[in-house]
Amino acid sequence: MTPIAWFVCWSSAALLLHVFVGYPVLVWLQARVRPRPVARRAILPTLSIVIAVHDGERFVRAKLANLRQLDYPTELIDIVLVCDGCHDATVTIARRSTDPRLTVLDHPNRRGKAACLNDAVALTRGEVLLFTDVRQRLSPMAVKELVANLGDPEVGAVTGELHMENVRSGFAQGVDFYWRYEKGIRHAESLSGSTIGVTGALYAMRRSLFRPLPPGTVLDDVLVPMRVAALGKRVVFEPKAMAWDQPSQQPAEERRRKIRTLAGNYQLIQMAPWLLVPWSNPLWFRFVSHKLLRLLAPWLIVALTISSGLLVTRHAMYATAFGALVTGMLMVGLALLPSRLGRLPPLRIALAFFYLNLFAAQALVAFARNRRLHLW
């Protein structure tokens, strides 16, 4: 039993260290030692803004007003908003808009975001496609900042930076910290070549590179950039192109969305197995390190806890590892207590880390039970 426990302990520790420390440090060093700057140019191509929405009456009026405030020539923009099985007033509100650039598509039956994006793109005329969601607010300069990156012929797609506002609860503060950590990785990936994902709230791409999405695709914000990279173009991150969103204040609010998104990674592998093939996927190492191994993290933590517990009397380092894991569990427990103690930064981070990994584990179970994920 000891050799097995030894192997599980060391392999789990090595993979976890690579996922959360080693890989981020590696891309950061690569960005510093061998940077690949983008040759930005101030260009003004025709632009098509695409929005897919399901029951978005709370946001659609503000979103359309926000798009009118973009610092970009109005005559170069057309907007297509697709309502996917909306049972609220989304369509009515959108059609009251007096913006002549706006086209509203109403599909009475839900078909999923991917089908909506395909339909919307088919109606657009712009050289550049800008994808955004109905909920987030964009900065006036966001479009110009994104498009400037497409002035570099090597760049095929570019994503903006999503900021969290109204971060009140300890859980939301922990998630915000994790999101900042994630954005740091994306920035380093971009500076050293290409990032493997974009922010669904705000990203742009060359129209010529868009290919219709498979029906039911959940993670268009991963499949689209991976396809762009496979065509030999870079996918970059532009921190000056900003969008703002409201975070979930409690784990229960975040659970459904996060599980569906994480399960979408399993769906992505199922529908695009070429992503697992190094000679087909030019970003294979980054995809495996940044996406796939993250999905294994909760199981690796469990394996490390059990194996280090079995080896705790063998050496001080196993006892240290086991003690650290137990301490992490205690921190999560303290963070859940209804007291000011839970607002301490280390406890907030521990709580967010726990829930995000819990959701990752639940995502595998959810996908195994239902290979056909919910459309939204």
Side-chain angles (χ1 to χ4, degrees):
M1 192 67 183
T2 300
I4 297 175
W6 180 89
F7 175 78
V8 171
C9 183
W10 282 98
S11 58
S12 299
L15 288 172
L16 286 169
L17 187 65
H18 172 72
V19 170
F20 294 111
V21 181
Y23 174 70
V25 169
L26 182 63
V27 291
W28 181 84
L29 288 173
Q30 191 176 0
R32 296 301 182 274
V33 176
R34 298 183 60 186
R36 294 183 61 187
V38 175
R40 288 166 45 100
R41 287 193 302 120
I43 59 173
L44 293 173
T46 53
L47 178 80
S48 294
I49 302 176
V50 175
I51 311 171
V53 57
H54 172 70
D55 289 349
E57 66 178 5
R58 291 185 299 157
F59 310 105
V60 66
R61 185 180 287 107
K63 184 68 175 189
L64 294 177
N66 178 229
L67 295 181
R68 289 194 293 272
Q69 296 171 356
L70 293 176
D71 183 16
Y72 204 85
T74 56
E75 67 275 10
L76 298 179
I77 295 178
D78 65 287
I79 306 168
V80 180
L81 185 145
V82 191
C83 299
D84 188 35
C86 294
H87 299 298
D88 60 4
T90 301
V91 177
T92 302
I93 295 171
R95 285 181 172 164
R96 285 177 184 164
S97 171
T98 58
D99 192 336
R101 305 170 300 171
L102 176 64
T103 299
V104 180
L105 294 180
D106 179 20
H107 294 296
N109 299 316
R110 290 180 66 181
R111 300 179 305 144
K113 184 179 180 182
C116 290
L117 295 180
N118 291 339
D119 290 349
V121 171
L123 290 178
T124 59
R125 57 181 175 80
E127 301 165 83
V128 172
L129 300 172
L130 176 76
F131 296 95
T132 183
D133 291 334
V134 72
R135 194 175 67 244
Q136 292 84 10
R137 173 172 53 90
L138 310 183
S139 65
M141 291 298 296
V143 175
K144 278 188 176 178
E145 295 292 351
L146 289 177
V147 170
N149 289 270
L150 296 176
D152 186 334
E154 292 187 0
V155 175
V158 54
T159 183
E161 179 168 5
L162 183 63
H163 294 271
M164 298 296 175
E165 57 184 0
N166 193 26
V167 180
R168 301 191 309 271
S169 70
F171 174 76
Q173 292 166 1
V175 170
D176 183 58
F177 173 86
Y178 183 83
W179 179 234
R180 292 172 186 270
Y181 162 80
E182 172 68 19
K183 287 190 295 186
I185 297 174
R186 290 190 182 189
H187 198 191
E189 288 176 335
S190 173
L191 292 173
S192 59
S194 286
T195 182
I196 61 167
V198 294
T199 300
L202 180 62
Y203 70 98
M205 66 178 295
R206 300 181 190 277
R207 180 193 179 90
S208 60
L209 299 179
F210 182 83
R211 302 291 182 270
L213 296 163
T217 300
V218 171
L219 296 184
D220 62 281
D221 52 1
V222 178
L223 182 58
V224 168
M226 296 303 292
R227 283 177 164 181
V228 169
L231 292 171
K233 297 295 185 179
R234 291 180 65 187
V235 180
V236 299
F237 175 76
E238 177 50 72
K240 294 179 183 178
M242 294 178 283
W244 286 270
D245 198 3
Q246 303 281 336
S248 300
Q249 300 298 332
Q250 300 299 329
E253 300 173 23
E254 182 76 358
R255 181 179 180 277
R256 182 179 178 182
R257 185 194 69 82
K258 199 65 180 178
I259 288 177
R260 180 182 172 277
T261 301
L262 290 165
N265 287 285
Y266 295 105
Q267 182 209 51
L268 186 65
I269 297 166
Q270 184 182 48
M271 67 172 46
W274 59 269
L275 292 171
L276 299 177
V277 183
W279 50 87
S280 297
N281 181 2
L283 301 180
W284 177 83
F285 177 74
R286 295 186 173 197
F287 179 73
V288 171
S289 299
H290 195 160
K291 283 292 180 184
L292 297 192
L293 291 180
R294 287 272 187 93
L295 299 175
L296 292 178
W299 312 107
L300 293 172
I301 293 170
V302 171
L304 180 60
T305 302
I306 294 173
S307 58
S308 62
L310 292 172
L311 297 168
V312 73
T313 59
R314 299 282 177 171
H315 196 281
M317 62 182 172
Y318 298 118
T320 302
F322 184 73
L325 291 163
V326 171
T327 300
M329 296 176 194
L330 292 174
M331 291 173 66
V332 171
L334 290 173
L336 290 171
L337 294 176
S339 67
R340 293 184 179 181
L341 191 64
R343 288 188 169 273
L344 293 175
L347 299 187
R348 294 199 306 258
I349 295 168
L351 183 66
F353 182 80
F354 168 77
Y355 273 112
L356 292 176
N357 280 282
L358 176 64
F359 297 155
Q362 292 174 333
L364 175 59
V365 176
F367 182 73
R369 288 178 175 175
N370 180 20
R371 296 292 181 96
R372 295 186 63 192
L373 298 174
H374 297 294
L375 296 176
W376 283 83

